[in-house]
Amino acid sequence: MTTCACGNCQFFDNQSKAAMKPKEKDGGPCRYNPPMPQPAGNGGHASAGHGVWPVVARKDWCGHFAATVERFMTAAE
């Protein structure tokens, strides 16, 4: 049985640059929702900012969990 945790979810990205940072070694971005806009750090306009996916720990969980195998099963149907 698969544990319903972010580390086992198809939306958990453990291959991204954010997941490779030493301080984020047990985490990675969740790709379920689109990135959230972040304002520019220098007081500029919001359009000068960028989008960021939330970083979650492998042991976190939420109601959007989807086992990784489901991604391949729907493609085969």
Side-chain angles (χ1 to χ4, degrees):
M1 182 174 148
T2 302
T3 303
C4 296
C6 293
N8 297 324
C9 182
Q10 72 177 355
F11 302 111
F12 181 75
D13 182 2
N14 61 357
Q15 301 298 316
S16 69
K17 290 180 183 178
M20 300 302 175
K21 291 180 182 176
K23 70 175 188 171
E24 304 293 347
K25 65 181 178 180
D26 288 335
C30 174
R31 305 287 187 173
Y32 182 81
N33 290 310
M36 298 298 296
Q38 303 295 310
N42 59 1
H45 296 27
S47 61
H50 60 281
V52 176
W53 279 276
V55 175
V56 296
R58 291 181 182 276
K59 293 182 180 181
D60 285 347
W61 63 276
C62 77
H64 299 296
F65 176 80
T68 342
V69 294
E70 290 179 18
R71 173 176 31 184
F72 302 109
M73 291 174 64
T74 56
E77 293 176 336

